[in-house]
Each structure stands twice: as C-alpha cells, then as structure tokens.
C-alpha cells in the first residue's frame, strides 16, 4: 500500500550520502521495496528485511496472481478503462475471482489494484463481493525474479529487531511504519497513537530513514513536544524530502521522507 515506489528517486539520491558497507535494517519491511532498492544501489551492503506480514507468500504465488489477472484482462478487454464494472461483466469478474479463490490462493491486495477504486483494498472474497468494481486491470504480468536476492529475511516484532541491532556498528534503520490517520487495514495488527509514538524511540541517536505523510501530523507533534516538554525532537537536524501523492481526482496528500546521520556511529 502507499506510494513509496514514486519516492524511489529521492530515496536513492539520499542513500548516496550513506556508506555502501553499512548494515541496513528495514524494520517495517512491507513489500520489501526499500530493502530491494538498497541492495540494488549497494550490492555489497548487508540488508535485513523484516517480513512481518509474510509478503514472501505473495511473491511465491506470483504465477497464480498473473494467471488471475490474465483472466480478468480477457474479460475486460473491450471494457472502458477506469470505468465502473456492472451487469454481466461484473458477474464474470466475480466468477473468475471465485474460481481462483476455490483453487486455493488469491492475493487480494494485489488484485485490489486491478479492480477496485484507487487506494482501496480488500482481504477476502466476501469483502470483494460487496465492493463497487472498476476496470483498472494491469496490462502486464508481475515478476519477482531476484527481488529479494542477497537480502536476509526475518519475521519479528520491530522492537525485537531493533534491539538486536541498535548497538551494531555502522547500522542504518529504514523506518516506514503504517501512517497515522491512514488505512492500516492490510497490516496484521491495529495501530494506535501510542504505537506511532513508540516507533520514534528507534530514531533517538540512530542513523535512519523515516517515512510519514502530512496526514499524520507526527512532525508537528514532535515539534510541540520539544517546545513544551523537556523531551527532544528526533527529527531535529534531519533532512526532509516531500512528494505530492494523488489518491484520486479530488484527493491528495504529501509523502515525507526524513533522514539523518550521526557522525559518531557511522563510517
């Protein structure tokens, strides 16, 4: 979920300021995009990807996902792009998905991007049946060849993973938690405000990339805490990059990347 793929140019540019031999720990691995990008830029770096939500299962089933998308592509070949799917065509789409579902596996998150409105996702066939469908079907197949090659994959609570590496020499943490005030429905656990604030503790005195959005107001909150309490602001001195992300024709927000190095613990 999200628009991180559109942020890769800024991420790669900022990454050049960090060592090519550092240990990069992706605390909230998600789809593994940040880990994959670091490894492509720095092939010799050690990259640890926290696949807490089992994205590997989706990668392992890409062939099944492509087969389903190909079936939908055939059904919708003469259907207007980005238009609502109704009538018998909708029945055919639902039947195609149901057949795949009964076959044992459907990647509903990936499927959602092809037949649901922008940034809307479901996790089950029952939920899909209730949704309004749109023809946003992908025109080409997915490929995961070599995507996680050379990357160490773990599945842990981010706090445990951070604890394992917080004293590691030359370590950089990639911190991309679910955004505050946005849909976290595809994650295993429900995130409350306290959870978002807990994450900020991993930024204290560490080298990091941190991703958020203007919808979360987390930066403003930290600035308030710094001025009103004895606590420090973990973003003080961090570089900031931002990018406008469009959800649909009348809705957008700003993605934000903050990054910081501490000269005493990186080389």
């Amino acid at each position: 979920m999200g628009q991180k793929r559109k942020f890769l140019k800024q991420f790669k540019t900022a990454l050049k300021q960090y060592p090519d031999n550092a240990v990069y720990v992706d605390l909230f691995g998600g789809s593994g995009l940040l880990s994959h990008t670091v490894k492509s830029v720095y092939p010799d770096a050690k990259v640890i990807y926290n696949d807490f939500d089992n994205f590997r299962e989706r990668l392992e089933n890409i062939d099944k996902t492509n087969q389903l998308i190909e079936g939908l592509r055939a059904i919708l070949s003469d259907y207007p792009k980005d238009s609502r799917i109704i009538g018998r065509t909708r029945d055919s789409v639902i039947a195609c998905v149901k057949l795949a579902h009964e076959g044992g596996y459907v990647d509903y998150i990936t499927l959602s991007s092809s037949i649901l409105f922008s940034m809307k996702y479901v996790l089950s066939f029952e939920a899909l049946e209730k949704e309004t469908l749109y023809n946003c079907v992908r025109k080409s197949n997915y490929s995961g060849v070599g995507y996680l090659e050379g990357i160490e994959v773990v599945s842990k609570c981010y706090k445990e993973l951070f604890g394992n590496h917080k004293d590691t020499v030359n370590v950089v943490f990639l911190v991309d938690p679910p955004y505050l005030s946005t849909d976290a429905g595809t994650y295993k656990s429900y995130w409350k405000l306290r959870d978002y604030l807990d994450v900020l503790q991993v930024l204290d005195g560490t080298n990091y990339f941190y991703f958020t959005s203007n919808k979360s107001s987390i930066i403003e909150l930290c600035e308030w805490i710094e001025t009103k309490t004895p606590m420090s602001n973990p973003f003080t001195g961090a570089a900031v990059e931002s990018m406008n992300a469009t959800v649909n024709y009348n809705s957008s927000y700003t993605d934000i990347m903050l990054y910081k190095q501490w000269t005493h613990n990186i080389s």
Side-chain angles (χ1 to χ4, degrees):
M1 294 184 68
Q3 304 289 325
K4 205 64 69 254
R5 66 188 183 280
K6 297 181 180 180
F7 225 133
L8 291 185
K9 182 177 180 180
Q10 293 96 320
F11 177 57
K12 288 179 180 179
T13 299
L15 197 57
K16 290 295 186 180
Q17 302 176 32
Y18 289 72
D20 59 1
N21 62 344
V23 177
Y24 291 87
V25 182
D26 192 352
L27 293 177
F28 300 88
S31 67
L33 183 59
L34 295 178
S35 293
H36 170 79
T37 301
V38 171
K39 196 64 177 177
S40 67
V41 174
Y42 292 143
D44 295 329
K46 181 176 181 178
V47 180
I48 301 172
Y49 160 52
N50 189 16
D51 186 18
F52 185 71
D53 293 305
N54 196 20
F55 185 75
R56 285 166 295 174
E57 181 182 35
R58 296 168 63 189
L59 287 176
E60 292 164 359
N61 285 279
I62 279 181
D63 287 346
K64 293 179 181 178
T65 298
N66 283 336
Q67 184 177 4
L68 174 55
I69 297 296
E70 287 171 358
L72 296 176
R73 197 180 296 137
I75 293 170
L76 298 167
S77 60
D78 297 323
Y79 211 83
K81 178 70 174 173
D82 297 325
S83 62
R84 182 179 174 185
I85 304 172
I86 60 175
R88 292 182 178 178
T89 304
R90 186 186 192 281
D91 293 341
S92 296
V93 167
I94 292 296
C96 182
V97 176
K98 184 177 182 181
L99 184 64
H101 177 82
E102 292 173 345
Y105 183 84
V106 172
D107 178 353
Y108 283 99
I109 297 176
T110 299
L111 173 65
S112 294
S113 63
S114 278
I115 56 174
L116 293 183
F117 199 66
S118 178
M119 297 299 291
K120 193 169 185 62
Y121 297 85
V122 295
L123 299 176
S124 68
F125 180 75
E126 292 73 21
L128 180 69
E129 282 187 299
K130 300 174 184 177
E131 293 291 338
T132 300
L133 306 186
Y134 291 85
N135 179 21
C136 310
V137 67
R138 183 181 173 92
K139 297 302 182 184
S140 59
N141 285 350
Y142 292 96
S143 174
V145 176
Y147 185 66
L148 296 178
E149 185 174 349
I151 295 173
E152 181 180 335
V153 182
V154 299
S155 182
K156 300 180 178 181
C157 169
Y158 83 90
K159 293 180 180 179
E160 178 185 356
L161 183 58
F162 174 73
N164 292 342
H165 295 280
K166 63 183 178 67
D167 297 321
T168 299
V169 177
N170 213 22
V171 64
V172 180
F173 292 101
L174 310 178
V175 188
D176 183 23
Y179 289 174
L180 183 63
S181 301
T182 59
D183 180 18
T186 62
Y187 295 91
K188 281 184 179 179
S189 56
Y190 179 76
W191 276 63
K192 302 178 289 295
L193 176 59
R194 179 170 181 169
D195 297 309
Y196 293 94
L197 297 178
D198 282 346
V199 172
L200 299 181
Q201 296 181 75
V202 309
L203 308 182
D204 185 21
T206 64
N207 312 297
Y208 65 79
F209 283 87
Y210 179 85
F211 295 86
T212 185
S213 80
N214 65 336
K215 296 174 71 174
S216 73
S217 300
I218 199 74
I219 298 175
E220 291 84 352
L221 175 60
C222 288
E223 291 173 346
W224 184 92
I225 290 173
E226 183 179 34
T227 58
K228 302 295 183 181
T229 74
M231 297 178 64
S232 61
N233 180 353
F235 300 127
T236 298
V240 183
E241 299 280 352
S242 61
M243 181 199 69
N244 188 62
T246 301
V247 177
N248 52 52
Y249 70 94
N250 65 354
S251 178
S252 65
Y253 62 94
T254 301
D255 258 329
I256 301 170
M257 176 179 72
L258 300 101
Y259 55 100
K260 186 174 181 178
Q261 296 185 61
W262 293 77
T263 55
H264 65 269
N265 61 359
I266 196 164
S267 60

